[in-house]
Structures are given as structure tokens and as C-alpha cells.
Amino acid sequence: MSFKQALCEKILMSVEKPARYLGGELHQVIKDPASVDIRFAFCFPDVYEIGMSHLGMKILYDMFNRRDDVYCERVFSPWPDLHRVMKEQQIPLFALESQDPVSGFDFIGLTLQYEMCYTNILQILDLAQIPLLAADRAEGMPFVIGGGPCAYNPEPVADFFDLFYIGEGEVSYDALFDLYLQAKREGWARREFLIRAASVPGIYVPLLYDVVYKEDGTVQSMLPNTPGVPQKVQKQLVMEFSDSVYPTKPIVPFIKITQDRVVLELMRGCIRGCRFCQAGQIYRPTREKDVEVLKRYADEMLSGTGYDEISLTSLSSSDYSGLEELVTYLIDHYKDKGVNISLPSLRIDAFSLDVMSKVQDIRKSSLTFAPEAGSQRMRDVINKGLTEEDILHGAGLAFAGGWQKVKLYFMLGLPQETDEDMQAIAELANKIAVRYYDIPKDQRNGKCQITISTSFFIPKPFTPFQWARMYDKEEYKRRAKVVNDAVKAQLNRKSLKYNWHETDVSVLEGVFARGDRRIARAIQYAYEDGALFDSWSEFYDHDRWLRAFEKAGIDMEFYTLRERGEDEIFPWDFIDDGVSKEYLLREWKRSKEGKVTPNCRMQCAGCGANQYGGGVCFEGQNQVP
């Protein structure tokens, strides 16, 4: 095959980082498009460096391309400089591997990782030169399918998609592809394929459901409008996790990406049950990968890529039962070969600190704690399962081990939060500094540096806090000021630094997180007004969004400022994510009482995830009848 380039040299030389658009990297898959039956454009609606760091994309790219009849290629959002050129010169959006326009593909798949990328979805469709609205697409156009964590409330972007995949992609895509091959052979119309696809487990087709709203704006009903379409869409999970597909030869980019390293996925899910955390609920039950499999993957990936860093990833790596064995193996085999071992998502305990001291340069590195709330009362409300004694003991061990830099992550705007809870953030940071200065001066590495960061709490679907209210941006600013003033009042304030998140973005993210289908109009208006890369602060323009919502006739405060009633139907209630609404409501009520729920290994909370028949639900004495 002769290779062509979608962009001429003049254009490539005029844009930032042309390697984003060239393809040709080590381990990319090249097939003859004429030899396959299905062409799939896997799109990440953000810049190349972000998308190429995403593990889920790597897994599905590898899985799809293992099929001889499927050719999966990559697409990323063109940066604003190239976006302008493509619009002006009518250059169609193209895939990296073949450089072919994606408008000729069978599927355009978009992974939805973050709500603030929603206008980038429209950028992809617009540059691909296909209609933004699914209802406007004609026969022969690609099917647009969405997935990822934001697909657990697909409604704000439902009008733009033909299908959504709910859950982990390793399970039902083969069935969907086989159905599509049948559709091609038998000449089905577009709508007939969509109706049949709705019967594939995990597939949601928005056009086949009608939403009715009450006078107060809440959802009255959401029901199929076509016979045979299921009322509930069941989340798909990989239960044989050790045997599932994994990319041991990931693509190695030409330019530095955000996560420029080999990634080992230890497990999915989390046993902890923090009430604000969506990932901890939607990925239930917790499933571990066999440690011997991980050792083999590590060897293959390090030798096949040339990377000198390996990251062990999961929602809570300390809870992986084979962590000590795996880390010991990696240190024994790779530490002397100059390979760094990265361990995010660890609890700061003696074992973790011992491991980190072996794999990090302590003088350069900082430790990260995520207490999430400053007071013990608030940590109980959110079910963090962490006491002040745990935090201070961990900090003490860290300081004794030679660390002096600590990063602390908190949330503001949590349910039931008071000014005293906010002030407690600064007080806790000060207590950590005191613990450092208790060490004799001749045993310290100079001053300690404690960086406090607060983000604003966003209530997410399928969490116990999905009923919670938010606040307006002025109130968020006030709360950040309460913390800032409290930091300045601390005895060790010179050792403390405070950063907080943008208030405008948090409010908009909250609208998108729990929004319904009516939100799509505002997203389209904002995009037409120039909104793009809203997750990047230098491009975000809040006034543009205010204009879009006003034009759409939508009151943002309806979605943010009210606490939901216990019997309210949510826009995402048609999804069965394996965790019952009764359990989530029970946890919401327990939060109001400040009651802590033990983690899944200590005691089953009856969330419903045992219906999947595996994982932590069936470990030893924890087994549920």
C-alpha cells in the first residue's frame, strides 16, 4: 500500500506539534482497508497527548484489531490551530493510520471521559462532515457510538449519538460487530440495524426511547417507543478479568504524552464505597488481575516499548492483594535497569512508604494524601474511612522516612458542610506541618512544603450523593475564601500553600453530570458560538455558555441548586448499573446521620453487585448467599 498524508507539508509546518496528526508510530496497526468488512474510527475528544495516555482506548484498539474483519484507527481532536485550517479549507477529519476521511467509516466511536469535552464531540462530527444530530443522518453514514464513564448519564449528549455502549467494552462489541456484518449482508436499513442493536447487552439507542417531563421540569417517564426494545439497559462487566484482552505492545508516540509510560492495570472497582465517587460504584464489583499475569505483561511491555517507567494503576492500589509480591518482583528485575516504578492511588501506610522509598528519589518526590474533608465529621459523612490519627500517623512515618513535600486533596461544597468543616482543612494541614517540625532539626531536610488543593464537589449519577444540591459560583468563591483565610491564620502558614479549582467550570460540569436531553441544545449553541476544549482553562469562556443556555431557554440552576426528592426519576434511571437505587438511597440517608459503612472486604453492604457472580462479592467469608 502506498502511504498518503491527509495534510500537506505547508499545513503541518504551520501548526503546533505536527506529530499529533502523522501516525506512523511504533506498534500502530496497519491493514489494507479493502481487506476488512468494518472500519472503526476510535475518537478521543481531546488533544493527542491526553488521548494517547488513556488505557481504555489502548485496550479496545488492540481488541478490535485482533479481528481480521475489523480495522480500528485512532482519531483525536485537532488543536484549535488546525481546527481553523480544516474548517477554512474544508479538509475532512481523518484517521491517523490510513489518513482516510472518517466519514467513509462504518463506526465513529467516541469515549466520554469528562463532561467538559462535550463540545469536542461536536467538533469531531463537524470536521468529519456528518450531521451533528443522529436524527439527521442518512443511510450509509457512519454509526456514531459513545462509551466511557460519562455514558452512565448519556442524556445531555444523546441527540448526537446513534448508540451508546454502557459498561466495559471488552464484553459486547464482538456481538455488535457480528450483527452489523449481518446487516451489511442482508441490506438492512439504518433504523432496522439500530432496533436490532438495542437487543445487544449494554447497547442503548436514544432514538428508540421517548422522554416525558412533568410540569416542574423533572422526568415523568422514559420508555421505549418501539416493540422489542428493553426498558432497562444492563451494564456490561468483564468478570474473567485475568483472561481479558490487554495491549502488551501499546503504541509508542513520537512526542511526549501526559502519561508517558507503560501501564499495568491491577484491578477494576474499589472496595471503599466513598459516597461521592462514581467510579467506586459503577465499576463494582472489585475484580483483581492475577499477579503472575501482571508479571508477564510487565516483562513484555517493558521489552517491547523501550519505556523506562511502569505505572501500577487502579482506583485503590493498596487494596490489590498481590501488590507486595508484584512490587518486589518489579524492583528485583528492573530497578537496576533504570526503570522507575510509579504507584498512584496508594494509602499512606508503613508498607506503601517502604515501597515508595525503594522506587522514588525522596528528595525530589512528594507524597499525596486525599483526605477529601478536613474534619472527622465530614469524612464520616462521605464514608472516607480515614481518621485524623491515620493521616497524622502516615505523615509522621513519611517525614521519618525522609519526605518533606506533601500534597493534600480536599473537596468543598460537600453535603452538610459547615464553615467549621472548611476551616478544619487548614487546621489538618497545620497539624501535619507540626508533625514534621516535631522531628529534631538535624534530622530534617529543611522546611516542609504542604500544598493544599480543593476542587468543588460535583454530584454524579449512580452515587449516594446523586440527590445532593450544589451551589452557585459566588458561594463556591466564599468557601474557597474561608479555607484561604484559615490557611493564613495557621501558625505554620509559611509551610502551607493553597490552590483551588475554577468555580465556573464546576457549575457547568454539575449541569452536564445530571442533565437530561434538553441540555443538548445548549451544547450545540455553545459549539456554534466557538466553544471548544472547555476542559482547558485558556479556552474556557463562561459567558459563552451563559448565552447558550439562555438561547436554549434552560435554567442552569434547575440542575444545580436543588436537592432531589427521594422519589424523583433521574434521566439515567433506565440504566441498570448493578448497584440498586435502594442501596444508594440507604447510603444517602446514612450520610445524613454521619454513619460509616464498612468496606466490601469487611462486610457486604448489599449493593446488588453480587448479581455479577464474581469479584470481591465471592471472596472467602465475604460471600453473599
Side-chain angles (χ1 to χ4, degrees):
M1 286 183 298
S2 60
F3 183 74
K4 63 182 184 302
Q5 195 70 55
L7 301 173
C8 69
E9 189 174 321
K10 183 180 178 183
I11 292 174
L12 287 168
M13 295 301 289
S14 72
V15 299
E16 187 181 329
K17 298 184 182 179
R20 290 167 171 162
Y21 315 108
L22 294 174
E25 308 100 322
L26 179 67
H27 299 321
Q28 76 163 21
V29 176
I30 294 295
K31 297 184 181 183
D32 179 359
S35 71
V36 299
D37 299 308
I38 297 174
R39 297 191 71 181
F40 193 104
F42 199 128
C43 306
F44 196 100
D46 207 329
V47 73
Y48 177 94
E49 294 92 314
I50 302 288
M52 280 299 295
S53 302
H54 185 247
L55 179 60
M57 186 175 196
K58 295 174 186 176
I59 290 172
L60 293 184
Y61 178 86
D62 183 82
M63 174 184 152
F64 293 175
N65 279 318
R66 291 186 188 193
R67 288 183 59 137
D68 292 335
D69 54 1
V70 175
Y71 188 13
C72 178
E73 302 180 52
R74 294 164 297 141
V75 180
F76 303 96
S77 281
W79 197 241
D81 54 0
L82 181 59
H83 175 91
R84 283 190 293 273
V85 173
M86 293 177 76
K87 287 287 285 181
E88 288 166 5
Q89 300 189 22
Q90 286 293 295
I91 298 169
L93 186 67
F94 55 91
L96 262 59
E97 279 75 3
S98 67
Q99 301 279 300
D100 287 341
V102 300
S103 58
F105 284 44
D106 298 278
F107 290 93
I108 294 178
L110 287 126
T111 181
L112 311 179
Q113 297 296 317
Y114 181 34
E115 291 89 349
M116 298 310 297
C117 291
Y118 283 173
T119 50
N120 284 54
I121 295 169
L122 299 190
Q123 177 207 30
I124 296 238
L125 300 175
D126 183 20
L127 293 180
Q129 299 176 6
I130 67 170
L132 299 184
L133 297 174
D136 295 339
R137 289 178 202 136
E139 299 292 335
M141 288 183 175
F143 289 96
V144 180
I145 183 166
C150 292
Y152 281 86
N153 178 21
E155 292 304 275
V157 289
D159 287 354
F160 311 126
F161 285 86
D162 298 295
L163 315 93
F164 286 93
Y165 183 113
I166 312 297
E168 296 171 353
E170 296 96 325
V171 184
S172 287
Y173 262 114
D174 281 331
L176 183 67
F177 289 156
D178 291 343
L179 185 73
Y180 181 72
L181 292 175
Q182 183 185 351
K184 284 181 81 170
R185 282 194 309 271
E186 299 178 7
W188 300 353
R190 188 177 186 88
R191 182 175 174 84
E192 184 176 357
F193 170 70
L194 290 173
I195 292 170
R196 302 271 195 109
S199 297
V200 174
I203 298 296
Y204 165 53
V205 181
L207 288 170
L208 304 180
Y209 294 79
D210 290 335
V211 186
V212 177
Y213 299 96
K214 296 179 182 177
E215 281 188 20
D216 65 3
T218 60
V219 176
Q220 178 174 309
S221 66
M222 179 177 175
L223 296 169
N225 57 30
T226 304
V229 174
Q231 285 199 19
K232 284 266 189 180
V233 178
Q234 179 78 40
K235 169 184 80 173
Q236 299 301 294
L237 281 190
V238 183
M239 294 310 297
E240 301 301 325
F241 193 47
S242 292
D243 302 326
S244 64
V245 65
Y246 201 76
T248 55
K249 287 190 175 180
I251 294 171
V252 181
F254 289 133
I255 58 175
K256 186 171 178 58
I257 60 174
T258 310
Q259 304 290 332
D260 213 15
R261 58 186 71 99
V262 162
V263 177
L264 270 187
E265 187 181 22
L266 306 182
M267 61 183 187
R268 285 192 192 156
C270 181
I271 63 172
R272 296 285 152 185
C274 296
R275 292 175 178 133
F276 58 84
C277 179
Q278 186 186 50
Q281 304 292 340
I282 63 177
Y283 294 116
R284 288 184 173 216
T286 303
R287 295 143 287 145
E288 294 192 346
K289 194 154 281 190
D290 182 77
V291 71
E292 295 302 323
V293 171
L294 290 171
K295 290 177 189 176
R296 188 177 81 247
Y297 285 171
D299 294 340
E300 291 178 20
M301 294 168 82
L302 287 167
S303 65
T305 61
Y307 276 121
D308 60 3
E309 184 171 350
I310 185 164
S311 177
L312 310 184
T313 185
S314 73
L315 292 173
S316 179
S317 300
S318 299
D319 294 320
Y320 175 60
S321 59
L323 185 64
E324 186 167 7
E325 182 182 346
L326 178 61
V327 170
T328 302
Y329 174 84
L330 293 173
I331 290 172
D332 290 347
H333 284 73
Y334 293 106
K335 193 70 173 74
D336 294 338
K337 296 177 182 175
V339 174
N340 294 318
I341 302 165
S342 171
L343 290 155
S345 307
L346 283 180
R347 288 198 309 281
I348 307 300
D349 54 25
F351 165 68
S352 301
L353 291 165
D354 179 55
V355 168
M356 284 188 279
S357 68
K358 292 175 183 174
V359 301
Q360 291 184 0
D361 182 339
I362 291 173
R363 286 187 173 274
K364 293 180 182 176
S365 64
S366 60
L367 285 178
T368 301
F369 291 84
E372 311 293 1
S375 68
Q376 191 59 51
R377 186 189 76 83
M378 277 308 301
R379 285 193 294 276
D380 291 347
V381 166
I382 65 178
N383 206 47
K384 184 63 184 174
L386 195 63
T387 66
E388 185 172 292
E389 186 180 339
D390 295 333
I391 297 165
L392 295 178
H393 179 65
L397 290 172
F399 294 144
W403 273 276
Q404 70 188 89
K405 299 174 188 172
V406 174
K407 293 178 181 175
L408 300 172
Y409 289 98
F410 299 91
M411 280 185 287
L412 288 176
L414 286 160
Q416 303 179 56
E417 183 180 62
T418 65
D419 282 20
E420 289 74 24
D421 297 316
M422 301 172 218
Q423 291 158 354
I425 291 172
E427 291 159 6
L428 179 60
N430 187 67
K431 288 174 185 175
I432 292 172
V434 168
R435 183 61 62 97
Y436 179 79
Y437 291 116
D438 282 345
I439 299 170
K441 195 169 185 178
D442 59 342
Q443 295 174 29
R444 296 184 216 145
N445 289 328
K447 288 185 177 180
C448 74
Q449 300 171 36
I450 298 174
T451 303
I452 306 160
S453 294
T454 60
S455 59
F456 296 108
F457 160 70
I458 313 289
K460 296 282 176 123
F462 297 108
T463 67
F465 285 168
Q466 63 184 352
W467 285 273
R469 63 162 297 177
M470 290 178 65
Y471 300 93
D472 60 29
K473 69 175 188 176
E474 296 307 319
E475 175 59 17
Y476 285 132
K477 286 179 184 175
R478 187 194 74 80
R479 291 181 184 230
K481 186 177 186 301
V482 169
V483 177
N484 198 36
D485 290 347
V487 168
K488 290 176 181 175
Q490 298 307 309
L491 194 63
N492 292 289
R493 56 189 171 275
K494 289 184 179 178
S495 295
L496 310 180
K497 182 185 176 187
Y498 177 44
N499 304 315
W500 60 94
H501 198 255
E502 301 101 326
T503 56
D504 291 343
V505 173
S506 298
V507 171
L508 187 59
E509 189 181 335
V511 174
F512 291 160
R514 292 185 297 177
D516 50 50
R517 285 195 190 182
R518 294 170 292 193
I519 299 296
R521 293 198 305 277
I523 295 172
Q524 184 170 349
Y525 291 149
Y527 174 70
E528 290 167 351
D529 193 22
L532 194 60
F533 286 99
D534 290 295
S535 60
W536 296 71
S537 56
E538 62 261 44
F539 299 121
Y540 182 77
D541 180 348
H542 194 63
D543 288 340
R544 182 186 283 141
W545 280 101
L546 293 178
R547 289 194 299 272
F549 276 95
E550 185 177 358
K551 185 176 179 182
I554 294 170
D555 178 10
M556 294 171 72
E557 294 184 352
F558 171 78
Y559 298 96
T560 55
L561 295 190
R562 62 186 184 88
E563 183 173 309
R564 279 34 172 186
E566 291 180 8
D567 58 350
E568 180 168 335
I569 296 172
F570 294 132
W572 53 90
D573 275 351
F574 70 94
I575 295 172
D576 179 0
D577 91 320
V579 174
S580 72
K581 197 170 183 181
E582 292 73 24
Y583 156 76
L584 295 173
L585 187 57
R586 192 162 68 242
E587 283 293 291
W588 173 232
K589 291 175 178 176
R590 285 176 70 84
S591 77
K592 292 183 174 183
E593 298 167 3
K595 289 183 178 177
V596 173
T597 299
N599 73 59
C600 296
R601 284 203 171 110
M602 291 173 66
Q603 180 184 319
C604 176
C607 73
N610 64 316
Q611 67 180 279
Y612 287 93
V616 70
C617 303
F618 291 84
E619 285 179 5
Q621 76 275 13
N622 193 62
Q623 185 165 335
V624 183

